Amino acid sequence: MTRRALGNVGVAGYVLLLYGFIYLPVMTLVLFSFQEGRFPIPPFNGPSLRWYEAVFADGKLTAALTNSLVVALLSSALACLLGFLAAYGFARYRLPGAGPLKVMITAPLTVSYLIIGFGLLVTFNMAGISRSLWAVGIGHVVINTPLCFAIITVSLGEHQRNIERAARDLGASDWQVMWRVTAPMLLPSIVAAYFLSVTFSWDEFIIAFLLSRFDVTLPVEIWSLLRSGLNPKTNAVGSVVFLASVAVVLILEFVVFRRYSSRRAA
Amino acid sequence: MTARVEFRGIAQRFGTFDALGGIDLTVEAGEFAVLLGPSGCGKTTLLMILAGFIVPTRGEVFIGDRQMNGVPPARRPTTTMFQDYALFPHMSVRANILFGPKMQHVPAAEAKARADRLLAMVNLADAATKKPHELSGGQRQRVALARALAVEPDVLLLDEPLGALDLGLRKQMQQELKHIQREVGTTFIHVTHDQEEAMAIADRIVVMNQGRIEDHGSPDRVYLRPATLFSAGFMGELNRLEAEVGDVSAELVSVDTVAGKLALPRTAAAGFDPQVGQHTILCFRPEQCRPDGDDSHADHEALDLGECRVVESAFFGTHLRALLAPPWAEAPGIVAHFPQRDVLKPGDRTTLRVSRDAAFLLPVS
Amino acid sequence: MGPASRNATGDSRGWVFVGPAVLWTLAFFVVPFVVMVGYSLWQREGTELVRAWSLANYAGFFDKPHFVEGLVNSLEITALVTVISIVLAYPLAWIIAERVPRRWQRLALLLAILPFWTSYVVRSYAWLLVLSRGGYLNQWLMGAGLIESPLEIAATRIATVTGFVHFFVMLLTLTIYANLVQLSPNYRRAAADLGAGPLRTFWQVILPLTLPGIMVGAFLTFVLCIGDYITPQILGGNNELVLPQIIMLQITRRADFPTAAALSIVLMVVVTLAYIAAARWLRMERV
């Protein structure tokens, strides 16, 4: 064998090994969601859909799923709006103290969710605000606003500034510039920020755990399922979440972003 | 659809940096003026002040008879064509052109007629429904021009619009710009750092440096009789010799140089009054050097600068470019362009003669 | 265009745009942080909250061996995870960027990070399935005759590290790939042109050029790893606690908010120190 061929075998082996490592837990998860028996460990006896039936029959799980969706979609919309407005304001106006303020807005990115959640918990306690999905939503806006702000700031360069100037020069007012030119022009990055934000909120556990009480989000509900140990029902709900998320990712990748990236390449 | 532009004492400070120091300039209605200078000379700042994007620290801007200070960009009778075109990426070519008329509440029928006329003028009628990313650089540039003209400005401001195009396309667009400017009659103010581009399109060139105007006038005047050394050097390659003024008469100025005593026409010192004993620089351009055997003019019309050694020579197509070491210096110091049929090799000797009418004197600043 | 060019329409309007995000962050991030600092200076005695300012909670941190141990565990696990993840992810990112044909790169990358979208809680649980006594790993090892009785991997540090590494290999593959593809191919061509072999080119040109990107990825890994509760709780269990687990114990079991607040601040200080170190290193690198 030549050295090059040996190298190729090494490369292929490494890739297989790592993809195997990356997919091992997911595959195990999905496989044993079809387990007939009560334990999601080998040997596999199935396939059976009984645990999926159990998931959809579980009112608490489906309620949690709805809660998660509502919190993710709404909190991300607000985070995106706050982030977009702030990015636009900082990029287009000279404001005293802009530097420290930008640091403050992005600071939550570097702080553990546990600490953000705990901080909100003690503060809400003092203020007499009770734990609820609203509180969870507030927490999720806190963690996602800096994300949206950062993503949108990056896409507001000097070229975009000239485009806005051109619009103003042609007679558009400030609001017209923002809604007719800036926002549509930045749509790809706003969509990306919104989607990423939804993902983070949808998946977030610790803030939701600390700040919710009776109505909980899906990760918190799954967490309480885990108390009962290894259980194919957990596999089933995990698989549903995974496949639904993957479907959304693939749709975005192949429908939305493919279009934009081909446009950018042109 | 056209107007005179006047700057009075415009100064601009950015922090501690003086970007512009007291600019006075008038551009007549319908003129094609070019602001020319190296990067950082303040030319774009001056353009942005005229557009209203920058509020000057001091001074006044007039368009027509109207004082413009405090008028926002949208309300000025100017539009800007940006260096990166700044086309709206999410709108079609037609929507880009219609944007301005729409913002000004021009009736739809008239706006459409305008767009059609402009699309035809810039040869893009077929591309009206395309998005900017589907167009070539030259086409984008034309859309930007059409969009800017669609609001029928009195003054069109062009911020290095040809900088991103390759050489061939740039020359073609220069021609088109000049042609369209004649057609619409709008005052064009164009910024560039390319002196060839400036000469190709301008009715008037304004040479700027370090926030000041060095020179302004017609292209031939600025090239042939520049007002300052900077302007002379920026407009094209230049040979310089130190010269001390000897006699001054009504017709002649004689100067002492390392090449000997030379007599020049009085017009060689165009922008100043030469004083006896004054230190000046004698300037001439490479193409103003005469080949050795050229007898088409009588000898007394050429300045004889002595026999030089050829250090390097290269064929440039339109001419032969030679680097010469003059007799008074060891180092090569003179660049000369000779007719393309001349043959000069390194080591050859040639007599350096310069057209007496072409050489000019400039004071040492 | 001068950098200090100014918007002619006036500056005060900027606050309309910036205001909402600033106020939100103030109300729900800065104020909670201040409240937390305040809490960390109070004490809890029995079931009572004593509102007397003191540094007792911080002093107590070093008196209680299991707090210090938690911090040490956190640091050890985080360091281990960061190093292993980079070592595993870099070659994969490099192979995708250099060996995979251009049109398949996006797909290969997408595939490498797809399990990202398993729910975070579920992902740790899935590893528990693999690593448990009756799980696939033990089955294979026994089938191959390498071990005779199943290994206790779940509820150990190995399990925690495995779960973390899985997550960060995906994340780092993404960031390192992004770093590699933006390098001009001319660097490699120039190095090859000057006579460097592939290995030398990699060590002396490509790796140093991607080092800042790796540092950013490493910092991200550090921050996310050291502050995480889920993975150590599900996979590591209660045998060996990390700092976030201890904080959660104070909050949920003991309702001792002052101690939890003090421990949170300690955690934040550690992250801030790492941030300063990373930022200083990056700045030095740029000079």
Side-chain angles (χ1 to χ4, degrees):
Chain A
M1 226 191 258
T2 64
R3 255 179 82 172
R4 193 173 173 82
L6 204 67
N8 282 341
V9 169
V11 164
Y14 190 80
V15 168
L16 277 179
L17 204 70
L18 265 188
Y19 276 87
F21 172 66
I22 289 170
Y23 278 91
L24 178 61
V26 183
M27 289 306 166
T28 314
L29 177 82
V30 175
L31 178 67
F32 285 100
S33 68
F34 297 107
Q35 180 84 318
E36 172 69 40
R38 295 193 45 210
F39 295 103
I41 47 170
F44 178 67
N45 51 22
S48 151
L49 289 176
R50 67 177 276 210
W51 298 109
Y52 285 90
E53 283 162 21
V55 166
F56 289 107
D58 186 337
K60 272 160 82 185
L61 269 178
T62 47
L65 193 124
T66 318
N67 290 343
S68 268
L69 263 181
V70 171
V71 169
L73 294 177
L74 292 185
S75 75
S76 299
L78 185 55
C80 236
L81 182 69
L82 293 180
F84 168 71
L85 289 176
Y88 182 82
F90 280 122
R92 296 297 175 255
Y93 295 89
R94 261 206 313 193
L95 300 168
L101 284 177
K102 278 193 229 173
V103 170
M104 185 185 92
I105 289 181
T106 45
L109 280 179
T110 56
V111 177
S112 162
Y113 288 179
L114 170 59
I115 296 173
I116 293 175
F118 175 55
L120 282 170
L121 177 68
V122 290
T123 308
F124 287 167
N125 259 357
M126 276 182 94
I129 300 167
S130 55
R131 295 183 285 160
S132 69
L133 283 180
W134 289 102
V136 176
I138 288 173
H140 286 182
V141 175
V142 170
I143 59 172
N144 283 328
T145 298
L147 189 77
C148 297
F149 172 73
I151 292 174
I152 295 168
T153 295
V154 168
S155 59
L156 270 169
E158 195 56 31
H159 178 63
Q160 281 73 15
R161 187 196 191 90
N162 270 349
I163 290 176
E164 288 168 7
R165 276 184 166 167
R168 204 167 288 132
D169 191 38
L170 293 169
S173 70
D174 280 13
W175 287 103
Q176 281 173 319
V177 169
M178 206 167 98
W179 292 118
R180 280 174 180 269
V181 177
T182 313
M185 175 169 68
L186 296 182
L187 202 60
S189 54
I190 293 175
V191 169
Y194 182 72
F195 170 66
L196 207 62
S197 173
V198 167
T199 318
F200 279 24
S201 166
W202 167 258
D203 207 19
E204 199 285 321
F205 168 76
I206 198 87
I207 294 174
F209 179 74
L210 289 174
L211 297 182
S212 65
R213 197 160 188 187
F214 303 115
D215 292 321
V216 295
T217 61
L218 193 59
V220 179
E221 189 59 39
I222 293 176
W223 175 258
S224 47
L225 264 187
L226 287 186
R227 296 241 175 96
S228 59
L230 301 184
N231 182 346
K233 194 171 158 191
T234 313
N235 289 48
V237 69
S239 303
V240 169
V241 170
F242 174 60
L243 295 177
S245 316
V246 166
V248 173
V249 172
L250 293 182
I251 288 168
L252 275 172
E253 165 71 19
F254 288 104
V255 181
V256 181
F257 290 112
R258 183 71 31 120
R259 243 180 61 205
Y260 279 114
S261 61
S262 69
R263 180 180 298 188
R264 221 170 306 136
Chain B
M1 295 245 297
T2 183
R4 202 171 74 106
V5 171
E6 191 178 344
F7 297 97
R8 284 190 204 158
I10 293 289
Q12 179 66 43
R13 256 183 112 78
F14 292 127
T16 58
F17 171 65
D18 277 311
L20 291 173
I23 298 284
D24 292 296
L25 177 70
T26 305
V27 176
E28 294 303 330
E31 242 182 353
F32 200 138
V34 172
L35 306 180
L36 174 70
S39 59
C41 73
K43 56 192 192 299
T44 300
T45 306
L46 190 60
L47 196 76
M48 291 291 121
I49 286 173
L50 180 54
F53 292 118
I54 299 177
V55 180
T57 316
R58 249 185 321 105
E60 293 175 298
V61 177
F62 287 85
I63 299 176
D65 296 324
R66 273 180 69 204
Q67 210 254 28
M68 283 291 141
N69 293 34
V71 180
R75 302 240 194 76
R76 294 191 182 203
T78 58
T79 40
T80 306
M81 225 179 109
F82 291 90
Q83 189 167 14
D84 53 7
Y85 316 141
L87 298 177
F88 306 129
H90 55 291
M91 294 183 196
S92 69
V93 167
R94 177 181 288 279
N96 262 283
I97 296 173
L98 284 173
F99 185 89
K102 195 192 254 171
M103 291 298 125
Q104 297 186 340
H105 308 293
V106 173
E110 197 203 320
K112 189 186 172 302
R114 255 190 228 178
D116 288 336
R117 190 164 40 83
L118 286 164
L119 280 166
M121 184 161 87
V122 297
N123 279 323
L124 278 174
D126 297 339
T129 56
K130 288 190 176 170
K131 292 273 179 75
H133 67 94
E134 297 172 277
L135 305 177
S136 70
Q139 287 174 319
R140 284 179 208 187
Q141 219 257 335
R142 291 195 186 99
V143 177
L145 181 63
R147 185 180 70 180
L149 289 172
V151 294
E152 306 195 328
D154 291 337
V155 184
L156 183 70
L157 310 177
L158 304 98
D159 182 10
E160 304 219 20
L162 308 180
L165 305 180
D166 60 47
L167 189 62
L169 197 53
R170 195 150 71 212
K171 294 220 155 133
Q172 186 195 334
M173 287 308 302
Q174 287 167 2
Q175 243 175 35
E176 282 183 33
L177 268 183
K178 178 120 188 150
H179 176 76
I180 287 171
Q181 193 264 342
R182 283 226 185 84
E183 205 174 305
V184 297
T186 303
T187 308
F188 275 33
I189 300 187
H190 179 122
V191 159
T192 183
H193 58 265
D194 177 349
Q195 91 284 0
E196 281 187 38
E197 179 171 307
M199 286 189 278
I201 55 180
D203 296 324
R204 175 205 293 270
I205 293 179
V206 181
V207 182
M208 294 184 64
N209 183 37
Q210 296 184 344
R212 298 186 182 278
I213 292 177
E214 292 270 343
D215 197 359
H216 65 107
S218 65
D220 57 331
R221 210 284 283 136
V222 174
Y223 184 82
L224 294 172
R225 285 286 182 271
T228 65
L229 266 177
F230 175 84
S231 175
F234 199 79
M235 291 304 294
E237 211 168 358
L238 193 70
N239 294 301
R240 308 151 190 242
L241 276 172
E242 284 179 28
E244 192 185 321
V245 177
D247 293 327
V248 182
S249 73
E251 276 91 41
L252 290 176
V253 183
S254 72
V255 290
D256 280 316
T257 71
V258 277
K261 203 176 179 70
L262 301 170
L264 298 163
R266 176 66 179 76
T267 52
F272 71 108
D273 204 12
Q275 305 296 318
V276 175
Q278 186 180 0
H279 286 284
T280 63
I281 305 286
L282 172 66
C283 307
F284 57 94
R285 300 201 181 273
E287 72 277 9
Q288 293 164 346
C289 297
R290 291 276 190 75
D292 227 356
D294 187 357
D295 295 325
S296 57
H297 295 74
D299 249 358
H300 70 270
E301 287 186 12
L303 302 172
D304 190 334
L305 298 181
E307 198 184 52
C308 298
R309 183 166 54 84
V310 177
V311 181
E312 288 291 348
S313 73
F315 180 66
F316 270 61
T318 54
H319 60 265
L320 184 85
R321 179 188 158 94
L323 188 58
L324 306 176
W328 62 84
E330 265 311 299
I334 303 284
V335 175
H337 293 174
F338 295 122
Q340 57 196 175
R341 64 188 139 75
D342 277 19
V343 180
L344 282 174
K345 287 190 293 297
D348 287 356
R349 296 196 162 264
T350 184
T351 303
L352 177 64
R353 282 178 298 176
V354 177
S355 303
R356 193 185 297 270
D357 295 338
F360 53 91
L361 283 176
L362 285 172
V364 177
S365 45
Chain C
M1 197 56 264
S5 69
R6 197 163 52 173
N7 198 309
T9 49
D11 288 347
S12 60
R13 273 199 236 180
W15 294 112
V16 177
F17 297 106
V18 173
V22 168
L23 291 179
W24 191 278
T25 312
L26 269 177
F28 299 116
F29 178 72
V30 177
V31 167
F33 177 72
V34 173
V35 170
M36 198 174 73
V37 171
Y39 255 97
S40 77
L41 299 173
W42 289 345
Q43 275 75 46
R44 189 186 157 90
E45 279 166 15
T47 53
E48 291 296 308
L49 190 64
V50 180
R51 299 185 180 195
W53 308 105
S54 91
L55 289 169
N57 291 319
Y58 294 96
F61 177 83
F62 295 99
D63 292 341
K64 297 194 178 123
H66 70 282
F67 285 175
V68 179
E69 237 170 68
L71 178 61
V72 171
N73 287 340
S74 279
L75 286 171
E76 282 176 0
I77 288 174
T78 301
L80 212 58
V81 166
T82 307
V83 171
I84 296 176
S85 301
I86 289 171
V87 169
L88 287 179
Y90 199 106
L92 185 63
W94 185 84
I95 289 168
I96 294 175
E98 298 280 328
R99 291 298 188 87
V100 174
R102 193 126 208 118
R103 52 190 301 245
W104 296 111
Q105 285 187 6
R106 227 180 134 84
L107 187 67
L109 196 69
L110 190 70
L111 274 179
I113 59 170
L114 210 52
F116 233 61
W117 279 274
T118 355
S119 169
Y120 195 37
V121 175
V122 172
R123 205 178 311 126
S124 295
Y125 166 78
W127 271 111
L128 202 59
L129 293 180
V130 174
L131 301 176
S132 67
R133 267 185 78 89
Y136 262 128
L137 189 69
N138 274 318
Q139 293 250 318
W140 285 332
L141 289 176
M142 288 203 292
L146 290 170
I147 52 170
E148 296 191 348
S149 57
L151 293 174
E152 292 291 347
I153 305 171
T156 65
R157 182 180 282 201
I158 296 173
T160 305
V161 170
T162 307
F164 271 134
V165 166
H166 178 245
F167 178 78
F168 290 113
V169 160
M170 294 191 277
L171 184 78
L172 286 169
T173 301
L174 188 71
T175 57
I176 296 173
Y177 168 84
N179 219 271
L180 281 170
V181 286
Q182 63 159 28
L183 285 187
S184 160
N186 285 344
Y187 284 124
R188 212 183 20 188
R189 288 181 196 139
D193 205 31
L194 296 169
L199 213 60
R200 236 195 148 89
T201 306
F202 177 77
W203 276 113
Q204 302 199 340
V205 180
I206 306 294
L207 190 62
L209 283 172
T210 49
L211 218 46
I214 295 174
M215 275 304 286
V216 172
F219 174 67
L220 203 65
T221 306
F222 183 90
V223 170
L224 292 176
C225 188
I226 204 163
D228 187 45
Y229 167 71
I230 286 280
T231 305
Q233 180 63 26
I234 295 180
L235 287 169
N238 293 322
N239 295 336
E240 180 188 64
L241 297 182
V242 294
L243 203 50
Q245 285 177 291
I246 297 174
I247 295 174
M248 277 299 273
L249 273 179
Q250 309 306 317
I251 300 170
T252 56
R253 291 277 163 77
R254 307 191 49 223
D256 185 351
F257 286 3
T259 304
L263 292 175
S264 297
I265 307 259
V266 170
L267 186 57
M268 273 185 78
V269 167
V270 170
V271 171
T272 307
L273 288 177
Y275 173 77
I276 290 169
R280 173 166 296 182
W281 186 87
L282 281 174
R283 206 173 315 129
M284 265 164 44
E285 189 67 3
R286 214 167 294 153
V287 172

